[in-house]
Amino acid sequence: MSQAFWTFTILFGTLINALATGIMFAAMAAGVPAAAAILFHLLPLPYNALALIAVWRSAKTYDGSGFWATAAQLAAAVWFAAMIVL
């Protein structure tokens, strides 16, 4: 569960989303139509959904404390929502 949460969701997911947001802003500055720029911003959405599902499923099979499993699920869901906006 910790690898799914910390590595694939928080580390890689945040980097991918930051890159997509940067590309969106660069596209907007270059005069690309707004719809295309928004598409660049939303490109990581399938990865974000996959990371959320991975954390959710691995938390269900986590052998440790139920608190940490639930906390990881909640944090991944909040992260997913934040990455749509960010």
Side-chain angles (χ1 to χ4, degrees), residues 1 14 29 33 35 47-48 56 62 64:
M1 180 184 73
T14 302
Y47 179 85
N48 294 346
W56 208 267
Y62 182 60

Side-chain angles (χ1 to χ4, degrees), residues 20-55:
T21 300
I23 291 170
M24 177 199 68
F25 284 131
M28 289 174 57
V32 172
I38 291 171
L39 178 66
F40 288 132
H41 177 69
L42 296 176
L43 272 174
L45 194 58
Y47 179 85
N48 294 346
L50 182 64
L52 176 64
I53 292 167
V55 170

Side-chain angles (χ1 to χ4, degrees):
M1 180 184 73
S2 64
Q3 184 176 18
F5 180 75
W6 289 109
T7 304
F8 297 118
T9 303
I10 300 300
L11 179 64
F12 293 140
T14 302
L15 289 173
I16 290 168
N17 281 282
L19 178 64
T21 300
I23 291 170
M24 177 199 68
F25 284 131
M28 289 174 57
V32 172
I38 291 171
L39 178 66
F40 288 132
H41 177 69
L42 296 176
L43 272 174
L45 194 58
Y47 179 85
N48 294 346
L50 182 64
L52 176 64
I53 292 167
V55 170
W56 208 267
R57 288 184 178 178
S58 63
K60 287 186 177 188
T61 61
Y62 182 60
D63 290 333
S65 170
F67 170 79
W68 291 116
T70 303
Q73 288 175 324
L74 179 61
V78 169
W79 173 87
F80 180 79
M83 290 301 111
I84 291 174
V85 175
L86 190 71

